């Protein structure tokens, strides 16, 4: 595997290429990544919605969700949170700030499209006709929309430190099993820790909004004590904005710290 110093040199070139990629290529690869991360969220929800023990439910989700990031890395898809590591390329003077910002904006929009399209497909395929799953989707989305701004920022920071650590560990490996394990462990930690990932929330909250549009699901959710007052498009953005800010701080900060640790030797 690559040493941390070798990773910095390696990713400086990778990030430089990402910053120069065409708009169409970046957007399409980002749509794919949004779909994969949303898929991790979907499978985690289906596997854990019937579990009443919170610890067990988080562990089950933590064991399943990371496969979304593994698929992103193996397929070469573009993930906003992982691409915060382009900070390494910026500090190595292999990429420009404008190129990094351009990449992050295009990839963010593509991730949003991919995750939201998956949420719509799940809703219209009849998955939430199993009402208990629909109620769970509503509960998850409503809870996320109700997180205070400052707390969402901190949860976003903690999340993307681990996501970028997962990307780094994965790319340090020279074998497929090593890459999978490298991505798996840190992401498993962030899910069990209950941290906030903006791209995952691009699936979870639209899925909850769509489930809430089904009269039976919404009624059962209210009967189950779910507070639907925060579940709206305004609530979606009140979560997405601070979580995104936190993810940027955590991811870029992690990239800068890894670079500084190696360059100060």
């Amino acid at each position: 595997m690559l040493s941390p110093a070798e990773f910095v040199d390696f990713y400086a070139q990778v990030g430089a290429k990402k910053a120069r990629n065409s708009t169409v290529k970046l957007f399409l690869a980002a749509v794919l990544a949004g779909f994969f991360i949303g898929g991790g969220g979907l499978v985690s929800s289906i596997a854990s919605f019937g579990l009443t023990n919170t610890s067990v439910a988080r562990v089950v989700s933590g064991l399943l969700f990371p496969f979304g990031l593994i698929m992103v890395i193996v397929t070469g898809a573009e993930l906003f949170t992982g691409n915060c590591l382009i900070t390494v390329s910026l500090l190595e003077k292999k990429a420009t700030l404008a190129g990094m910002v351009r990449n992050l904006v295009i990839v963010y929009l593509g991730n949003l499209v991919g995750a939201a399209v998956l949420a719509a497909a799940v809703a219209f395929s009849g998955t939430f006709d199993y009402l208990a799953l629909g109620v769970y989707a509503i509960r998850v989305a409503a809870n996320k929309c109700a997180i205070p701004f400052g707390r969402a920022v901190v949860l976003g920071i903690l999340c993307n430190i681990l996501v970028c650590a997962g990307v780094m560990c994965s790319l340090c490996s020279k074998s497929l099993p090593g890459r999978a394990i490298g991505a798996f462990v840190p992401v498993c930690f962030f899910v069990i820790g209950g941290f906030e990932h903006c791209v995952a929330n691009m699936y979870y909250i639209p899925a909850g909004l769509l489930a809430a549009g089904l009269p039976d699901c919404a009624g059962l959710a209210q009967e189950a004590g779910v507070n639907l007052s925060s579940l709206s498009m305004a609530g979606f953005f009140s979560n997405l904005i601070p979580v995104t800010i936190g993810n940027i701080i955590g991811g870029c900060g992690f990239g800068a710290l890894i670079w500084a640790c190696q360059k100060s030797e």
Side-chain angles (χ1 to χ4, degrees):
M1 61 177 289
L2 300 177
S3 68
E6 289 171 331
F7 168 79
V8 168
D9 292 336
F10 169 72
Y11 197 87
Q13 302 300 326
V14 171
K17 183 178 178 181
K18 287 177 177 290
R20 295 192 301 267
N21 272 344
S22 72
T23 299
V24 173
K25 183 176 180 179
L26 284 174
F27 184 79
L28 294 177
V31 170
L32 184 62
F35 180 89
F36 285 148
I37 296 299
L42 169 63
V43 172
S44 299
S45 296
I46 292 173
S48 62
F49 80 93
L51 300 173
T52 56
N53 185 297
T54 302
S55 295
V56 174
R58 284 197 178 185
V59 169
V60 170
S61 295
L63 293 174
L64 293 173
F65 185 88
F67 287 98
L69 181 61
I70 293 170
M71 288 188 288
V72 167
I73 291 172
V74 171
T75 60
E78 295 281 341
L79 182 63
F80 172 81
T81 46
N83 282 9
C84 289
L85 281 173
I86 297 175
T87 302
V88 172
S89 307
L90 181 64
L91 293 170
E92 281 287 285
K93 296 182 171 54
K94 302 293 184 181
T96 64
L97 179 60
M100 178 178 174
V101 171
R102 171 182 168 274
N103 174 282
L104 292 178
V105 170
I106 295 169
V107 170
Y108 190 86
L109 295 174
N111 289 167
L112 177 59
V113 170
V117 166
L118 176 62
V122 169
F124 290 111
S125 69
T127 301
F128 295 142
D129 290 348
Y130 191 77
L131 298 179
L133 180 57
V135 170
Y136 182 81
I138 293 170
R139 185 187 301 276
V140 170
N143 288 343
K144 287 180 177 294
C145 290
I147 299 173
F149 191 98
R151 187 183 303 171
V153 171
V154 174
L155 290 172
I157 292 172
L158 295 172
C159 168
N160 213 26
I161 291 173
L162 289 169
V163 171
C164 287
V167 172
M168 175 182 173
C169 291
S170 181
L171 294 181
C172 279
S173 175
K174 298 180 181 180
S175 69
L176 180 58
R179 287 198 166 192
I181 294 169
F184 182 89
V185 176
V187 174
C188 180
F189 281 13
F190 110 62
V191 175
I192 294 174
F195 305 146
E196 291 289 308
H197 188 267
C198 65
V199 180
N201 290 356
M202 292 173 185
Y203 165 77
Y204 282 124
I205 298 177
L209 285 167
L210 290 166
L214 304 173
D216 292 339
C217 281
L220 285 174
Q222 288 179 316
E223 291 175 13
V226 179
N227 185 354
L228 301 181
S229 62
S230 62
L231 185 57
S232 62
M233 286 303 297
F236 178 32
F237 289 109
S238 73
N239 172 275
L240 204 58
I241 291 170
V243 170
T244 301
I245 292 171
N247 287 165
I248 292 171
I249 295 171
C252 293
F254 176 83
L257 180 61
I258 290 297
W259 178 85
C261 287
Q262 303 312 312
K263 295 302 175 179
S264 62
E265 293 179 350

